[in-house]
Amino acid sequence: MCGIVGYIGAQSAASVVLHGLRQLEYRGYDSAGMAVINSDGALHVRREAGKLINLAQLLDQEPLQGQVGVGHTRWATHGPPCQRNAHPHRSVDGKLVVVQNGIVENFTELRQQLQLDGYTFHSDTDTEVIVHLIHRYYHNGSAGNLVNAVQRTLHDLKGPSAIVVLSQDAPDQLIAARLGNAGGVAIGQGEGEMFIASDIPAILRHTRQITFLENRQMAVITAQGAHYMDLEGSPLAKQSIQIEWNPLAAEKGEFRHFMQKEIYEQGRSLTDTLRGRLDFQQQRVMLDSLNLTDDQLRTLDKVTIVACGTSYYAGLVGKYLIEQVARLPVEVDYASEFRYRQPVVKPSHLVVAITQSGETVDTLAALEEARAHGALTVAIVNAVGSQAARVCDGLIYMQAGPEIGVASTKAFTASVTDLFLLAIYLGQARGTLDDARRAELIQAVAALPGLAGELLENAWQGNLYKDLAERFYQYRNFLYLGRGINFPIALEGALKLKEISYIHAEGYAAGEMKHGPIALIDQEMPTLVIAPRDSVYGKMISQIEQVKARGGLVLAVAHAADETIKAKADVVLPIPISHELLTPILAVMPLQILAYEIALRRGVDVDQPRNLAKSVTVE
Ligand code: AGP
């Protein structure tokens, strides 16, 4: 997914845009570019392939002056990452530029039509058709009305698109627009200046007053403010949101990577996740933002969880939590599958979307599918004001603060904690929880941030994970095994290693080993086993013995004082003792740290692993 930043006001547009792009680089980093109208009224463009640092170095050599501009970091969808394909894309007369996040699904036919009209293309991208369409309408049919030319162009486009347009003929304005679920367009209000960004961290240091564009909406932005309208030009009255995030939260601080920071701040982020949601007097969970009555919750006969990637694995943990605590059947589905398999969805179902960014296109499409069938929908989401947060009946914010690292860590543990709270909340409404059980669960989750902090502090102070990285960073395959509520943690641990160290890793239900995967075991395939003292502990002990009997290496996530495991496993990754239903939240942390340290030892750019982006807003 790409990153967009726009600025108009009294500051240097180039410096505001470049800083903003740096905050968004996690979204995509194949190439980057910027356009500024300088003081003599001319439009200048700078573009470079590769990471943002390349553009910054070009700007040092060839600076851009001016107070209105737009920039873009690219995650390539059409055309290889190179300077020619970097945004902004420019009109044939050089007076107009466009940056885009999304996909023009009908770009082939539009490109052919424009070529027949005499337009020459200089890139392989779908985006370039947009700037030529605007140019064509601007000069033929819109009588020099740029806003109308943009509206007519947007009507021609198929597929999700978020665009920003800057024209030399209108140097006192930027035009922003959003089609479908193309990733956010946040418009920030300053004093005599305005900001545009794909994501809040890019402009949080300048303003907390944010207005979000929704599907088929656009804005004409000057230094004084923004005028909102639909694609027919009808004015829209839109409310801004006051963002409470601390701007520093979107900075690395003393950490080496955002991922490292976000792993080690989970004690604090879990405190924030629980904030305002535990009533210790009544021993109850409070989830007012769910916006669903007890009657609505009592009529439910099924919960379906839809998500992608790490958020999907959080959903798998949610299945165990909700079924055990609220006694409601739960189905968990990849959003990318759910949206196309003609699922059976009824008004008596609750569909829960888990999405850190709130902009994942498959998850948003799955929500649309659920709503089309009349189901109640809830989003467990981190990004305030994101699309998922706006389209659901109810909300549970992760309250984890901005998560910048591409590999999701604190959002995962926040999601699972939110699912734990939701399970209790459903149990409260449906009467499946007696007072004693409810109090037990409330006390257990209240202790969670402290346990997480203890685990992370011990890891930070010791060398265990650096030593393990040194020992294991050259292995080419890993197997992760979990059982019961920790089976999804095996899947998540394997994904962490895969996506940031590029080592193949497979998560498996431990009980499935004897049905095939045990054939893989040898000295070259280390096995990570998640074995807290829970209801399936005995099974995991025999699992360890089966792997050891075949000469396999075993690294076990286990309670620090577990002498049995210490005697059987080659390595113990220690976690503190907690309530069984909360072990997944603690057990994932050693796996996050191990993946991080191995990736570091392999020299991977941990915050920007190859081929990935923080939020996938294109199919
Ligand atoms: C997680 O480490 C990955 N980066 C990825 O699987 C991510 O969880 C997935 O793309 C879903 O993102 P979302 O939570 O923002 O919807």
Side-chain angles (χ1 to χ4, degrees):
M1 179 184 66
C2 307
I4 293 175
V5 179
Y7 175 75
I8 185 163
Q11 298 185 61
S12 154
S15 58
V16 173
V17 168
L18 188 60
H19 174 268
L21 292 179
R22 283 200 178 98
Q23 305 305 310
L24 296 183
E25 197 176 5
Y26 61 88
R27 292 166 67 101
Y29 27 85
D30 294 324
S31 55
M34 185 186 301
V36 170
I37 293 180
N38 68 11
S39 41
D40 67 10
L43 181 69
H44 295 270
V45 177
R46 301 284 184 272
R47 301 185 301 173
E48 268 302 359
K51 300 233 184 230
L52 190 60
I53 184 91
N54 299 346
L55 176 66
Q57 286 166 351
L58 176 61
L59 288 166
D60 285 344
Q61 294 150 18
E62 301 170 32
L64 289 174
Q65 313 297 335
Q67 296 166 324
V68 57
V70 64
H72 182 275
T73 56
R74 182 169 181 248
W75 183 68
T77 55
H78 291 71
C82 55
Q83 199 224 27
R84 177 179 87 250
N85 289 333
H87 301 207
H89 289 286
R90 199 165 190 172
S91 58
V92 290
D93 59 7
K95 292 185 173 182
L96 180 72
V97 290
V98 169
V99 293
Q100 180 220 16
N101 184 10
I103 280 191
V104 181
E105 292 171 354
N106 56 335
F107 96 99
T108 304
E109 63 195 82
L110 291 172
R111 184 179 175 116
Q112 287 164 354
Q113 184 54 54
L114 285 161
Q115 284 169 326
L116 288 174
D117 291 349
Y119 283 86
T120 307
F121 281 75
H122 302 286
S123 80
D124 316 311
T125 68
D126 53 335
T127 307
E128 194 179 351
V129 301
I130 300 174
V131 73
H132 295 323
L133 279 172
I134 296 173
H135 178 271
R136 189 177 68 178
Y137 280 124
Y138 183 66
H139 292 284
N140 307 294
S142 291
N145 179 326
L146 183 60
V147 173
N148 181 263
V150 171
Q151 287 165 349
R152 297 178 72 166
T153 297
L154 291 166
H155 282 293
D156 288 351
L157 302 185
K158 290 193 177 70
S161 265
I163 67 169
V164 178
V165 179
L166 175 60
S167 168
Q168 188 172 298
D169 291 348
D172 59 352
Q173 72 179 34
L174 288 161
I175 297 175
R178 179 171 184 171
L179 279 183
N181 302 324
V185 179
I187 296 169
Q189 175 86 45
E191 291 296 321
E193 57 185 4
M194 293 291 284
F195 306 84
I196 306 170
S198 314
D199 209 349
I200 298 169
I203 53 178
L204 203 53
R205 73 181 330 194
H206 302 290
T207 175
R208 296 171 183 274
Q209 210 60 38
I210 306 286
T211 303
F212 293 92
L213 286 189
E214 307 200 25
N215 180 20
R216 306 192 70 74
Q217 294 185 351
M218 62 188 288
V220 179
I221 302 150
T222 67
Q224 282 65 46
H227 296 283
Y228 299 97
M229 62 196 77
D230 63 21
L231 300 194
E232 281 62 44
S234 305
L236 295 171
K238 287 185 68 65
Q239 291 302 314
S240 66
I241 294 177
Q242 175 77 10
I243 301 298
E244 298 310 328
W245 279 351
N246 170 351
L248 286 180
E251 308 279 350
K252 267 189 292 200
E254 81 274 17
F255 291 95
R256 189 167 171 183
H257 295 101
F258 280 110
M259 183 183 178
Q260 186 186 39
K261 168 176 176 278
E262 290 149 11
I263 289 172
Y264 284 98
E265 68 183 4
Q266 288 178 103
R268 189 175 56 70
S269 59
L270 287 169
T271 302
D272 293 341
T273 299
L274 292 173
R275 191 180 309 285
R277 293 168 167 171
L278 299 178
D279 176 344
F280 291 105
Q281 271 64 47
Q282 303 290 325
Q283 290 292 319
R284 292 178 69 81
V285 163
M286 301 176 292
L287 284 178
D288 300 344
S289 61
L290 203 59
N291 199 27
L292 299 174
T293 65
D294 283 0
D295 284 346
Q296 285 176 303
L297 298 177
R298 276 192 281 271
T299 57
L300 295 177
D301 56 20
K302 180 181 177 183
V303 173
T304 296
I305 298 173
V306 293
C308 301
T310 284
S311 295
Y312 169 79
Y313 298 143
L316 289 177
V317 179
K319 174 182 175 68
Y320 290 86
L321 294 170
I322 294 169
E323 289 195 347
Q324 290 188 31
V325 174
R327 306 308 297 157
L328 250 178
V330 179
E331 179 181 22
V332 188
D333 209 339
Y334 284 114
S336 54
E337 290 298 317
F338 182 84
R339 64 182 292 199
Y340 291 118
R341 65 176 176 79
Q342 297 164 36
V344 175
V345 181
K346 297 175 183 168
S348 61
H349 295 178
L350 174 67
V351 175
V352 178
I354 304 173
T355 170
Q356 188 287 129
S357 63
E359 300 291 353
T360 298
V361 66
D362 286 321
T363 305
L364 294 173
L367 277 172
E368 282 172 19
E369 178 75 16
R371 292 171 64 80
H373 290 80
L376 289 172
T377 56
V378 164
I380 295 180
V381 59
N382 197 36
V384 173
S386 56
Q387 183 75 352
R390 292 200 301 272
V391 300
C392 287
D393 299 300
L395 261 187
I396 307 178
Y397 272 124
M398 294 177 194
Q399 300 178 168
E403 184 179 74
I404 311 294
V406 167
S408 186
T409 50
K410 65 176 182 174
F412 175 79
T413 50
S415 306
V416 177
T417 304
D418 279 345
L419 287 160
F420 184 88
L421 296 174
L422 176 61
I424 297 172
Y425 195 78
L426 287 166
Q428 286 169 187
R430 301 169 61 84
T432 59
L433 273 179
D434 62 31
D435 292 352
R437 174 104 162 110
R438 204 174 65 233
E440 172 207 337
L441 295 173
I442 296 273
Q443 294 310 319
V445 75
L448 179 66
L451 294 172
E454 174 195 326
L455 186 159
L456 295 165
E457 181 60 23
N458 290 340
W460 181 260
Q461 295 302 337
N463 286 317
L464 170 63
Y465 294 95
K466 283 183 170 45
D467 294 347
L468 290 176
E470 190 58 39
R471 179 176 170 189
F472 288 103
Y473 79 99
Q474 291 175 307
Y475 279 85
R476 299 176 57 76
N477 295 287
F478 282 77
L479 193 58
Y480 287 68
L481 302 179
R483 201 172 189 130
I485 199 167
N486 285 300
F487 159 47
I489 302 307
L491 300 174
E492 169 58 12
L495 175 62
K496 285 285 111 19
L497 189 69
K498 275 185 278 209
E499 65 174 329
I500 62 169
S501 73
Y502 315 148
I503 296 173
H504 174 252
E506 195 167 358
Y508 237 94
E512 279 297 295
M513 275 296 280
K514 51 192 172 302
H515 300 286
I518 201 160
L520 289 171
I521 297 302
D522 61 24
Q523 279 286 352
E524 295 313 307
M525 164 84 84
T527 301
L528 274 122
V529 176
I530 300 151
R533 280 190 181 276
D534 57 13
S535 52
V536 291
Y537 176 74
K539 303 286 184 195
M540 296 310 289
I541 290 291
S542 59
Q543 199 66 66
I544 292 172
E545 287 161 347
Q546 286 172 34
V547 173
K548 292 301 294 172
R550 288 158 180 81
L553 273 168
V554 172
L555 297 85
V557 175
H559 293 145
D562 189 330
E563 295 307 322
T564 306
I565 294 274
K566 280 180 186 169
K568 294 180 183 297
D570 298 281
V571 175
V572 174
L573 307 180
I575 60 171
I577 294 172
S578 71
H579 190 286
E580 174 167 352
L581 294 182
L582 294 171
T583 53
I585 298 166
L586 296 168
V588 75
M589 294 178 188
L591 305 181
Q592 295 169 344
I593 301 168
L594 182 64
Y596 172 78
E597 293 295 344
I598 288 177
L600 212 54
R601 185 64 187 79
R602 290 170 64 94
V604 174
D605 183 346
V606 171
D607 281 338
Q608 297 167 18
R610 68 187 182 200
N611 309 335
L612 292 177
K614 181 59 183 171
S615 169
V616 182
T617 60
V618 294
E619 284 195 63

